[in-house]
Amino acid sequence: MSDDNYQVAVIGAGPGGYVAAIRAAQLGLKTVCIEKWVEGDKIQLGGTCSNVGCIPSKALLDSSEHYYRLASGELGVHGIDASEITLNVEKMMARKNKIVRSNTMGIASLFKKHNIELVCGQVSFASANDLEITGQDGKMSSLRADHIIIATGSVPIGLPIASFDYPQIVENSGALSFDRVPERLGVIGAGVIGLELGSVWRRLGSEVVLFEALAEFLPTADQQIAKAVEKSLRKQGLDIQLNTRVTATEIENNQVKVRYENQQGTHEASFDKLIVAVGRRPLTEELNLGAAGVQHDERGYILVDDQCHTNVSNIYAIGDVVRGPMLAHKASEEGVMAAECIAGLKGHVNYALIPNVIYTWPEVAWVGKTEAALKDEGRNIKTAQFPFMASGRAKAMESTEGMVKLLADAQSDEILGAHIFGPNASELIAELVLAMEYRATAEDIALTMHAHPTLAEAIHEAALGLNDRMIHM
Ligand code: FAD
Ligand code: NAD
C-alpha cells in the first residue's frame, strides 16, 4: 500500500518530534516527519512549544516585564524617569509573531540541512508499519516505515462550564493573542500557564483573578518556596483564590459572568476575558492506535517503558503523549533517546533530574526532590538557604527578592534537591542540574569558584551553608 519507505517516521514536529527526527537523521537513518499544523499555506514546525506555548509566552513575558518596569516607576530608583509611557499591543503581538516565525523557519532549515523529508498532513495508523496521511486538501497518501516515533503532543483540557465557543473564553493560544489589554481578566487554574499568562496581562494593566480548585498553591514545588512565590505574586496584584471552584459561566453584555464557590459561599464576578488553564491532555485519539496495536491508558496516554518503547516493538512514543511532566525539554530528550534506541545505541533520560521553571518575576526553578518528599522518604537531610537580599549582584540589579534553597543528604553530603526563587532562576538552575547529574556533594559546589559579582554566588553560598560556613550570612 505504501508510496514510500523510510527507516524512521516521526509523527508530529513539536520539540519532541523535530528533535527526534534530527537525531535519527544524524545517525544516518532515512527519516520522514509528518506534521499537520498549517498557518496560511505553510506547514508550521515546532508544535505547541514554538507556536502557542514556550516561545510566544516568553516573548510576551519579556515585553510585559519591560513595560511594567517603566510604567510602575520601578526604574525611578535608577534615576530613570519614564513618565510618558505608551503601550502598543499590536506591535507587541507583531514582535511575538515574528519570533515565532523565525523559530519555526529555523526548524525548517534544520530539516533541510539534515535531509529530513517533511510531509504535511494528519496521520493515522493503518498497521504497525503503515501510516495513512490526510492532506490539507483532503487527499490521502500513505507511507511505510521500519520504526515510528509518536510525538503528537497535547491539547488544552476544556471545561463543560466554560465553552471555548465564545470569544471571551480562551485557552493558551487565545490568551497569547488578545488585541487589547482586558480590563478584568479571570483565569481558571493557578498552575504554570495561569501564573505566566496572568502575570503578562497583570503587568500590562489587567485586574487578574485566578480561581484555583486546590487549597495548596503550587503543590509540586517546595512549599517554603511556594509560599514565598504566592506572597510575591499577591503583592504584584494577582488575586489568587485558592480552594475555589468555578461552577458556571455566562456571556452577558460582552462580558463573562463567572459563578464560583469557596468556603465563604457562592459568588459572582464579571470579566472581559476568561482564560481556562486547567491542564492539558494527550492528543492520541486521531491516531487510530488500535490498528497498530499500541496500548494507551483510559486518559489517552500511550503506555511506554523507561526508554519510551511502546508495547509494539517498532513503535516509540515521546513527549506530552506519555507519562511525566509536559515539558519541552523532557520531550526533546525523549526524542533523542528514542532515535538512539532505534539506531541500536543506549538512549537514556534521567527522569529524576528534569528541571522545572515558572517564568514569573522573580522566576521559580527547581530540580530534584522537595524537602517534604525527602522527609516522607525518611531521609536524613540538611538544608541551607541563601537569600538574594545578601547578594551584591542582586542588589545591583535591584532584584533582591527570593532565595536559593539546597537540600543534601546529612551523611553523604550529596545534593538531593535545589529550589530557586529569584532573578534569572531559569538560568541558575542549570548549574544544579549539572551538579546533580554528576552526583555532586555540597562540598563539590563549595569548592567550585564562582565569578563575582554574579547571582550564581547565591548557589555557592547555599552550598557553603550546607556545611555551616556561609561567608555572606
Ligand atoms: P507538541 O509541541 O504539542 O507537538 C505535537 C505536534 O504534533 C504538533 O505540531 C501537532 O500539530 C502535531 N500532530 C498532532 N497530531 C498529529 C497527527 N495526527 N498527524 C500529524 N501531526 C500531528 N514547556 C517548557 O518546557 N517550557 C515552557 O516555558 C513552556 N511553556 C508553555 C507555555 C504554554 C502556554 C503551553 C501551552 C505549553 C508550554 N510548555 C512549556 C509545554 C510544552 O509546550 C510542551 O510540553 C511541548 O510542546 C510538548 O512537545 P511535544 O513534541 O510532545 O508536543
Ligand atoms: P497545570 O497542571 O500546571 O495547572 C493547572 C491548574 O489548574 C492546577 O493547579 C489545577 O489544580 C487547576 N485546576 C484543574 N481543574 C480546575 C478547575 N476545574 N477549577 C480550578 N482549577 C482547576 O496546567 P497548565 O497551567 O494548564 O499547563 C499545562 C502544561 O503545560 C503543564 O503540564 C505545564 O508543565 C506545561 N507548561 C509549562 C510551562 C513552563 O515550563 N514554564 C509553562 C506553561 C505550561
Side-chain angles (χ1 to χ4, degrees), residues 295-373:
Q295 286 175 355
H296 57 85
D297 71 11
E298 68 288 349
R299 290 178 302 161
Y301 285 96
I302 295 174
L303 300 174
V304 288
D305 65 13
D306 283 350
Q307 290 189 312
C308 288
H309 209 174
T310 69
N311 62 306
V312 179
S313 64
N314 67 314
I315 302 179
Y316 288 76
I318 60 170
D320 284 7
V321 292
V322 301
R323 82 282 174 266
M326 289 184 166
L327 294 172
H329 41 281
K330 176 253 187 192
S332 297
E333 289 300 321
E334 288 182 335
V336 169
M337 171 169 72
E340 292 185 347
C341 289
I342 289 169
L345 303 175
K346 283 198 166 63
H348 174 72
V349 167
N350 186 351
Y351 285 100
L353 294 184
I354 299 174
N356 283 276
V357 178
I358 308 175
Y359 296 81
T360 46
W361 188 265
E363 293 176 341
V364 191
W366 72 92
V367 61
K369 298 201 170 158
T370 62
E371 186 170 349

Side-chain angles (χ1 to χ4, degrees), residues 151-163:
T152 48
S154 61
V155 288
I157 294 174
L159 290 176
I161 49 112
S163 161

Side-chain angles (χ1 to χ4, degrees), residues 12 15-16 35-36 47-48 53-54 58 121 123 151-153 320 326-329:
E35 169 57 57
K36 68 172 180 178
T48 303
C54 326
K58 270 74 233 179
V123 175
T152 48
D320 284 7
M326 289 184 166
L327 294 172
H329 41 281

Side-chain angles (χ1 to χ4, degrees), residues 3-211:
D3 304 330
D4 276 305
N5 241 307
Y6 297 90
Q7 284 170 295
V8 180
V10 182
I11 313 173
Y18 86 75
V19 170
I22 291 173
R23 187 68 189 121
Q26 280 175 345
L27 291 165
L29 301 165
K30 186 183 175 197
T31 304
V32 61
C33 182
I34 313 110
E35 169 57 57
K36 68 172 180 178
W37 200 319
V38 174
E39 288 291 323
D41 59 349
K42 280 218 169 72
I43 181 165
Q44 197 80 348
L45 305 180
T48 303
C49 173
S50 294
N51 292 285
V52 291
C54 326
I55 301 299
S57 61
K58 270 74 233 179
L60 291 184
L61 277 156
D62 267 316
S63 295
S64 60
E65 210 169 291
H66 292 314
Y67 175 77
Y68 181 77
R69 290 252 156 95
L70 288 170
S72 65
E74 201 181 279
L75 294 182
V77 71
H78 293 265
I80 301 168
D81 172 29
S83 27
E84 296 275 318
I85 305 298
T86 59
L87 176 63
N88 184 334
V89 175
E90 198 182 336
K91 209 164 169 183
M92 195 178 278
M93 291 297 166
R95 172 186 172 271
K96 176 218 44 166
N97 293 338
K98 195 171 154 202
I99 292 164
V100 167
R101 267 197 308 280
S102 136
N103 226 50
T104 57
M105 279 160 57
I107 300 168
S109 60
L110 288 171
F111 270 31
K112 270 205 190 102
K113 177 180 159 190
H114 291 283
N115 287 324
I116 297 162
E117 198 152 325
L118 184 57
V119 172
C120 182
Q122 180 165 317
V123 175
S124 65
F125 279 92
S127 77
N129 292 96
D130 294 293
L131 299 178
E132 280 179 348
I133 303 155
T134 313
Q136 279 299 108
D137 49 8
K139 263 200 190 151
M140 301 281 292
S141 63
S142 59
L143 61 81
R144 191 173 172 79
D146 300 335
H147 294 95
I148 294 169
I149 301 175
I150 304 170
T152 48
S154 61
V155 288
I157 294 174
L159 290 176
I161 49 112
S163 161
F164 294 129
D165 291 344
Y166 303 100
Q168 292 88 349
I169 303 179
V170 297
E171 30 85 307
N172 52 291
S173 35
L176 289 163
S177 305
F178 292 151
D179 57 5
R180 72 182 74 142
V181 180
E183 238 169 78
R184 282 182 53 77
L185 173 65
V187 185
I188 309 185
V192 201
I193 294 182
L195 295 179
E196 290 186 357
L197 296 184
S199 292
V200 164
W201 294 106
R202 172 71 201 132
R203 291 169 192 170
L204 297 178
S206 295
E207 269 178 55
V208 179
V209 184
L210 293 116
F211 302 102

Side-chain angles (χ1 to χ4, degrees), residues 400-417:
T400 52
E401 198 174 359
M403 72 193 91
V404 173
K405 173 175 178 178
L406 296 182
L407 302 156
D409 186 276
Q411 274 83 46
S412 71
D413 200 38
E414 181 179 349
I415 304 283
L416 302 174

